[in-house]
Structure formats: structure tokens, C-alpha cells
């Protein structure tokens, strides 16, 4: 099972939305069964003062080229939400168009380039969003009957999004699927990963861990040792028979590996 690494006293020192996001991201990235290296991304929506001193709604999201486990505040990209929101009305958008558009939404030109998965965070109306690639969820999302298994685990609390490569279309599909299920607590992306959210950074992290553990518990309960990897093909020989075989073959093996350059295997 995946362990929660949340430390209340460390977390309480993080006061801004961005600091809380950095803390959560590092926790997620420090467990590779939650997120693989350089994989996944996290975000928070908050209000900051812009260069003219006005309050603006900003989404901080992991930028391209960093890893959740080691990233710092400077590795997040701040994007003006008011500029991004109208995009959901579009029918389609190429990667080039999207990257160029997001470039105009950046609140600071020194921030890293926004990743191709940015819009999946922006289109969801939740304050904190995690997108991860957890081992247990990947097993589920890659299974031929993954959606049926997910129903057994999560009931009607999930939405399933068929495989589409990351970009505008996938982000819009995720948002629309979530909007159409009032009970949705998570998104399972076929052959890809997980999306979870929360009203606080702690709630979001707890939800990511809880959802993964529900899948882990389900998988563990169904692992049948006897049929694992096709089951036992050849029963093991009795210990005394194994010892007899070893005593007969070992002199030959020793001879074969020790007959040159005075190297001896004892
Ligand atoms: Zn992903």
C-alpha cells in the first residue's frame, strides 16, 4: 500500500498557494509507485497581485522539464485563468496553437514553458489538482476489462476517459466527463493515469493516496498465488535430491571456472 507522507507541522509552514503546491508535489514525487520520474503534474489555482498591483486569478502548474520529487517554486508556470477559461469553448486546437496561446497567458516570462497536459488542470474547476501515473492505477487502466474492474472498485465515483494522446482534446474530454457525473471523485485515463482533486492541498494529496490504495487493495485481494505467472509448471525437487545433484555437478563447475590464470573458486 502507498503511505501518506503528509507532515502537518511541515505543511503548516507553507502559507502561500504556491508553497503548498511545492510541498505536495515533492511528497507525490518522492514515491515512485505514485509517480514515475518526470511524469505527472500538479496545480493550484490562487489569487496573486499582478505587475500593476491588481488581484488576478492564477493557476500554478508544473512546467515542462522538471520532476515532481525535486521541483521548486521556480519550476512552476503561473498562467492567468481568465485568459485560459474561454479555450474550453473551442472544438479543437493543435499542440502548436495551444503552446503559443499558453505562452501569452504566462504571468512571468521567466517561468518554464507550460506542459502539454496544462489544460486538463485549467479546465477542471477545482482549486488543487493532481495528475499522476501510479503503478496500481496504470495496471487498471491498461487492463482489457479495466473499466469494468474500476466499477467494482469505485462504483459511480469515477469517470473513464478512453485513450487519446495528451493535448487539448484529452483535456476537454476529461472536463466534460467530470461535469457529466456529479459523483465524480477521480478520472481514470485509459493506458495513462489518474486525475484527482481537492479544496486544499492536503485534501488533494489525501485523495490521491486514498484512490491509489483502493486500487491496490482490490488488486492484492485478487492475486491468486497459485495462478500467478501461469502457476507452478514444475514442482520443486525434495531437498535431499537437490543436495545430491549439487554435489555431483559442483566439481565440474568448479573445474570449468577455475582452470585458467590461477583463479580458483572455492
Ligand atoms: Zn500524464
Amino acid at each position: 500500500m502507498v503511505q501518506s507522507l503528509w507532515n502537518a507541522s511541515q505543511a503548516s509552514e507553507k502559507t502561500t498557494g504556491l508553497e503548498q503546491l511545492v510541498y505536495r508535489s515533492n511528497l507525490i514525487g518522492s514515491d515512485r509507485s505514485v509517480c514515475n520520474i518526470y511524469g505527472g503534474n500538479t496545480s493550484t489555482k490562487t489569487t496573486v497581485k499582478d505587475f500593476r498591483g491588481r488581484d488576478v486569478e492564477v493557476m500554478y502548474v508544473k512546467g515542462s522539464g522538471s520532476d515532481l520529487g525535486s521541483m521548486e517554486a521556480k519550476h512552476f508556470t503561473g498562467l492567468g485563468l481568465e485568459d485560459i477559461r474561454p479555450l474550453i469553448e473551442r472544438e479543437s486546437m493543435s499542440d502548436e496553437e495551444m503552446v503559443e496561446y499558453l505562452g501569452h497567458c504566462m504571468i512571468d516570462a521567466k517561468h518554464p514553458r507550460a506542459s502539454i497536459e496544462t489544460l486538463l488542470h485549467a479546465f477542471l474547476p477545482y482549486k488543487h489538482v493532481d495528475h499522476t501515473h501510479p503503478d496500481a492505477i496504470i495496471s487498471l487502466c491498461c487492463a482489457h476489462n479495466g473499466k469494468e474492474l474500476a466499477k467494482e472498485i469505485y462504483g459511480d465515483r469515477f469517470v473513464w476517459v478512453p485513450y487519446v494522446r495528451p493535448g487539448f482534446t484529452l483535456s476537454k474530454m476529461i472536463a466534460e466527463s467530470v461535469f457529466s457525473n456529479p459523483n465524480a471523485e477521480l478520472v481514470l485515463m485509459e493506458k495513462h493515469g489518474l486525475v484527482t482533486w481537492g479544496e486544499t492541498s492536503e485534501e488533494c494529496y489525501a485523495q490521491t493516496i486514498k484512490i491509489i490504495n483502493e486500487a491496490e487493495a482490490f488488486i492484492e485481494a485478487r492475486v491468486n498465488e497459485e495462478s500467478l505467472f501461469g502457476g507452478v509448471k514444475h514442482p520443486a525437487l525434495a531437498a535431499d535430491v537437490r543436495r545430491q545433484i549439487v554435489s555431483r555437478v559442483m566439481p565440474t563447475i568448479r573445474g570449468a571456472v577455475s582452470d585458467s590464470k590461477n583463479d580458483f573458486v572455492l
Side-chain angles (χ1 to χ4, degrees), residues 8-222:
S9 78
Q10 279 176 8
S12 68
E13 292 163 14
K14 321 295 175 196
T15 49
T16 67
L18 182 55
E19 283 172 351
Q20 289 162 6
L21 176 62
V22 173
Y23 178 68
R24 180 172 99 241
S25 305
N26 292 164
L27 291 192
I28 290 172
S30 66
D31 186 339
R32 293 301 177 201
S33 68
V34 174
C35 214
N36 54 328
I37 192 156
Y38 294 110
N41 28 67
T42 48
S43 68
T44 190
K45 298 178 185 78
T46 187
T47 305
V48 297
K49 298 258 184 243
D50 74 0
F51 65 101
R52 291 156 83 178
R54 292 177 311 189
D55 282 343
V56 283
E57 267 192 287
V58 167
M59 176 177 77
Y60 285 102
V61 62
K62 175 179 174 276
S64 278
S66 48
D67 176 62
L68 286 172
S70 58
M71 65 193 302
E72 301 166 32
K74 65 180 180 191
H75 300 123
F76 287 90
T77 305
L79 301 159
L81 274 169
E82 204 183 315
D83 297 329
I84 301 180
R85 284 204 185 99
L87 281 185
I88 202 162
E89 304 300 329
R90 297 207 187 185
E91 279 304 308
S92 64
M93 202 174 191
S94 71
D95 290 351
E96 294 71 30
E97 260 185 295
M98 184 175 73
V99 167
E100 200 194 323
Y101 188 102
L102 291 175
H104 293 297
C105 305
M106 287 169 68
I107 60 163
D108 187 332
K110 293 190 291 296
H111 286 172
R113 197 164 49 81
S115 92
I116 210 85
E117 288 176 327
T118 296
L119 289 181
L120 80 83
H121 292 262
F123 289 164
L124 289 174
Y126 311 111
K127 205 162 163 37
H128 299 267
V129 176
D130 287 343
H131 163 52
T132 49
H133 302 152
D135 293 346
I137 300 292
I138 302 280
S139 316
L140 192 62
C141 292
C142 290
H144 67 94
N145 57 343
K147 194 174 173 182
E148 283 68 46
L149 295 175
K151 272 185 200 143
E152 288 187 49
I153 304 170
Y154 304 112
D156 65 351
R157 294 181 289 134
F158 77 104
V159 296
W160 179 272
V161 176
Y163 181 77
V164 175
R165 74 174 185 78
F168 176 85
T169 306
L170 177 62
S171 303
K172 188 167 169 170
M173 279 166 71
I174 288 174
E176 286 179 341
S177 317
V178 170
F179 296 151
S180 65
N181 178 359
N183 297 322
E185 281 182 26
L186 63 138
V187 178
L188 295 173
M189 300 155 76
E190 188 178 62
K191 297 187 173 65
H192 185 154
L194 174 69
V195 182
T196 42
W197 50 85
E199 268 312 294
T200 63
S201 205
E202 182 176 8
E203 198 182 300
C204 188
Y205 177 73
Q207 179 70 355
T208 300
I209 300 299
K210 182 183 132 204
I211 295 300
I212 297 169
N213 280 337
E214 284 185 70
E216 289 224 353
F218 177 87
I219 294 166
E220 263 174 40
R222 272 150 192 79

